[in-house]
Amino acid sequence: LYRPAERDDNENTKKGLLLTRPITLDEPFALKKLQDMRLYYSKFDGESKCFVVVYVSNDGTNWAPIRSLRKRSYKYYRFAIIADMKDMDALSGMVLRYEVERNNKLR
């Protein structure tokens, strides 16, 4: 009986989800607007992919996804990273650049 060689599990991509905790970006009472976001991950071939969904909130309980980074400012951010990676790929980190819009100080 002849069986064709099956693909090893290490060669297939695996799906995963990484959800961060609520992030205040150094100033908990100020509104911040994201300007740039970069995700660092290493892939050894062209099949691996990572997608990022940004969730925002001003009260910390009601979350909504955003489509554009530069439209409005928010207090809290949460990032969902949807990964379709192989065993040898690695997610290193994320770099954010933001601007403080308003702070709640009386003048």
Side-chain angles (χ1 to χ4, degrees), residues 9-68:
D9 284 337
N10 293 334
E11 293 180 7
N12 295 332
T13 58
K14 294 169 182 66
K15 298 186 185 298
L17 174 68
L18 174 71
L19 184 64
T20 65
R21 61 176 177 79
I23 299 172
T24 59
L25 299 175
D26 291 337
E27 296 188 31
F29 300 112
L31 297 175
K32 281 98 29 194
K33 185 188 295 186
L34 286 181
Q35 292 184 347
D36 191 21
M37 177 178 54
R38 184 167 296 176
L39 185 68
Y40 289 106
Y41 66 99
S42 61
K43 58 182 180 177
F44 291 102
D45 62 359
E47 294 181 21
S48 298
K49 297 179 184 113
C50 284
F51 303 101
V52 178
V53 180
V54 180
Y55 292 96
V56 292
S57 174
N58 279 331
D59 58 1
T61 57
N62 299 321
W63 295 92
I66 60 172
R67 295 181 186 216
S68 175

Side-chain angles (χ1 to χ4, degrees), residues 37-104:
M37 177 178 54
R38 184 167 296 176
L39 185 68
Y40 289 106
Y41 66 99
S42 61
K43 58 182 180 177
F44 291 102
D45 62 359
E47 294 181 21
S48 298
K49 297 179 184 113
C50 284
F51 303 101
V52 178
V53 180
V54 180
Y55 292 96
V56 292
S57 174
N58 279 331
D59 58 1
T61 57
N62 299 321
W63 295 92
I66 60 172
R67 295 181 186 216
S68 175
L69 294 179
R70 297 176 185 94
K71 284 191 175 180
R72 266 187 73 194
S73 54
Y74 298 95
K75 279 187 185 179
Y76 302 102
Y77 289 91
R78 245 181 144 166
F79 301 97
I81 301 169
I82 303 160
D84 190 14
M85 303 173 84
K86 291 188 176 186
D87 287 344
M88 296 301 292
D89 299 336
L91 180 63
S92 302
M94 181 186 311
V95 176
L96 301 171
R97 194 174 72 198
Y98 64 94
E99 175 182 326
V100 177
E101 286 290 314
R102 283 188 290 180
N103 50 8
N104 295 329

